[in-house]
Amino acid sequence: MARSNYLFTSESVSEGHPDKVCDRISDAVVDLYLAGDPFARVACETLTTTNKIVLAGEVRGPASITKDQIEETARRAVREIGYEQDGFHWKNASVDVLLHAQSADIAQGVDASGNKDEGAGDQGIMFGYACTETDVLMPAPIIYSHRILKRMAELRHSGARPEFEPDSKSQVTLKYENGKPVGITSVVVSTQHKAGVKLTDLRELVRGVVKEVLPAGWFPPEEEFYVNPTGNFVIGGPDGDAGLTGRKIIVDTYGGAAPHGGGAFSGKDPTKVDRSAAYAARYLAKNVVAAGLSDRCTIQLAYAIGVSKPLSIYVDLHGTGKVEEEAVERAVAKAMDLSPRGIREHLQLNRPIYERTAAYGHFGRTPDADGGFSWEKTDLADKLKAEIR
């Protein structure tokens, strides 16, 4: 039996966290290639450390894209995050571009040819989740964790809070009663800051942001409000801790409130089902909840490399369903072509829309006019209801 009264915690990290710097650079490279060829193939991994950026992986795309352009793309991403520090500076960092051509063995299994449809870019399992806890149908702890850091970044970029530096983390603990969030019991924010800023002053600056973001009356008890609990945090970002693409997969998704298949998103073009099928699973789960078929929904998809159809579709409504899970499984299979090609075409994923996803979550975002975050739309809800009737 599921517990109804409990505490649950999720964390987020900012765009300036070392791993998120890497995610952004990798996704900026994906966008660079997709802007040149919507069907380019990219698998880009990035490593950062003190004044060093290394890009490695496989690509297949326009020959006109040069190493100089890729280096310029990486530097521009770091500059826009805001790194102009002695230990990590967009202009002074050394950049190594080690990308090479995609394996022909992988290409022959994935590409469409003759009567064979495009296959999945890898084997794996992908999960999507949605719930009624927030207006964006996401778990509340991860959404508030994201919103705290996103607001801090906005204030830093605008110049309103020059005390803040790019690297920061948040953690929010919610109290649930009868399975519903009723309040926040603790908030932790650790933020890099300018030298000379007093911890007492920083605490008040962060307090203002947290109060602005959280619902009225949800600010935690004073003894459970933690700001930089280890003290000084001047040295941060890749100068303080090496970063790698793909190390924040729980931050990217549901904050631990739902399963994760294990595959990272950033740096991968949309033929990679680690990314596109996870987006499709979220899209379907969100539309199931938006259709009023349940209050919570988890969907699992499974794929084999080179095979176009999903091997399985699994739905769990967590005891909140108004219909049977098997009916939802049949409905989602009819409502959307879940082959890699079908997902890309339905969600229009062959666009340069990925750099913006690299921080503050891939889910729970507002769909953009140019096709960004298309998987957050709820335009399939009526079709799902019709399929089940």
Side-chain angles (χ1 to χ4, degrees):
M1 181 180 295
R3 294 180 63 190
S4 58
N5 301 321
Y6 54 92
L7 302 180
F8 193 84
T9 303
S10 295
E11 71 156 348
S12 180
V13 298
S14 72
E15 64 199 62
H17 185 280
D19 297 330
K20 281 289 147 204
V21 174
C22 295
D23 284 347
R24 179 159 179 174
I25 292 171
S26 293
D27 274 339
V29 172
V30 172
D31 284 354
L32 175 67
Y33 272 89
L34 291 179
D37 177 2
F39 300 100
R41 301 292 174 83
V42 183
C44 178
E45 310 291 344
T46 303
L47 176 148
T48 57
T49 186
T50 302
N51 270 333
K52 185 74 174 179
I53 302 169
V54 180
L55 293 88
E58 303 78 46
V59 296
R60 189 174 77 194
S64 58
I65 296 177
T66 65
K67 285 189 175 182
D68 286 345
Q69 285 178 286
I70 296 169
E71 177 180 335
E72 181 183 345
T73 296
R75 292 189 188 279
R76 188 265 306 157
V78 174
R79 183 182 71 243
E80 291 182 2
I81 291 170
Y83 274 113
E84 296 186 343
Q85 300 170 2
D86 289 342
F88 195 70
H89 196 296
W90 65 270
K91 184 185 291 185
N92 302 331
S94 168
V95 180
D96 292 343
V97 179
L98 306 177
L99 298 169
H100 60 82
Q102 183 189 50
S103 161
D105 290 345
I106 293 177
Q108 73 177 353
V110 174
D111 291 348
S113 61
N115 293 324
K116 173 184 173 296
D117 195 8
E118 175 186 301
D122 202 351
Q123 73 172 47
I125 58 173
M126 298 83 205
F127 288 92
Y129 180 74
C131 62
T132 56
E133 290 182 17
T134 60
D135 58 345
V136 292
L137 303 186
M138 283 283 288
I142 187 66
I143 286 297
Y144 292 129
S145 295
H146 285 326
R147 288 176 179 174
I148 289 168
L149 297 186
K150 193 169 189 294
R151 182 56 181 152
M152 288 174 63
E154 290 169 351
L155 293 169
R156 174 174 60 83
H157 284 300
S158 72
R161 286 290 175 262
E163 300 89 348
F164 296 154
E165 291 281 24
D167 190 2
S168 57
K169 302 177 76 170
S170 64
Q171 189 168 284
V172 175
T173 301
L174 262 77
K175 182 178 182 180
Y176 287 75
E177 292 181 355
N178 298 317
K180 303 291 185 182
V182 297
I184 288 174
T185 62
S186 69
V187 172
V188 183
V189 177
S190 294
T191 182
Q192 186 185 17
H193 56 85
K194 289 279 197 304
V197 176
K198 295 180 180 178
L199 183 57
T200 52
D201 294 337
L202 190 69
R203 181 182 178 88
E204 295 311 306
L205 295 177
V206 173
R207 182 195 304 275
V209 173
V210 174
K211 283 194 169 183
E212 178 183 347
V213 167
L214 298 184
W218 276 30
F219 194 85
E222 192 65 22
E223 65 274 14
E224 295 295 331
F225 175 51
Y226 303 94
V227 176
N228 288 21
T230 61
N232 217 37
F233 187 3
V234 174
I235 299 171
D239 186 30
D241 190 10
L244 288 171
T245 300
R247 285 206 297 199
K248 288 292 178 284
I249 59 175
I250 301 304
V251 170
D252 285 343
T253 53
Y254 307 103
H260 194 297
F265 303 156
S266 291
K268 299 175 182 177
D269 73 76
T271 67
K272 278 71 169 175
V273 286
D274 274 346
R275 179 168 223 159
S276 57
Y279 289 173
R282 160 64 179 171
Y283 174 66
L284 291 170
K286 185 174 185 180
N287 276 271
V288 167
V289 173
L293 301 175
S294 68
D295 292 331
R296 294 173 62 199
C297 178
T298 297
I299 293 180
Q300 184 207 58
L301 304 175
Y303 291 85
I305 188 167
V307 179
S308 62
K309 66 179 179 68
L311 304 184
S312 64
I313 301 171
Y314 168 79
V315 172
D316 183 357
L317 302 180
H318 304 278
T320 69
K322 281 72 173 178
V323 297
E324 295 297 320
E325 275 95 349
E326 293 84 353
V328 178
E329 290 168 355
R330 291 191 295 269
V332 298
K334 291 180 181 178
M336 183 178 180
D337 178 356
L338 290 171
S339 69
R341 183 199 299 274
I343 291 170
R344 288 191 297 102
E345 291 179 352
H346 189 108
L347 297 177
Q348 297 183 292
L349 297 179
N350 287 100
R351 308 183 188 197
I353 55 173
Y354 297 104
E355 185 177 354
R356 71 193 72 172
T357 69
Y360 314 118
H362 292 246
F363 307 134
R365 309 286 289 273
T366 302
D368 294 324
D370 67 351
F373 301 105
S374 59
W375 50 92
E376 289 298 307
K377 293 181 179 179
T378 54
D379 56 350
L380 204 65
D382 289 342
K383 189 171 183 180
L384 287 172
K385 285 192 287 188
E387 290 286 357
I388 288 176
R389 286 200 186 106

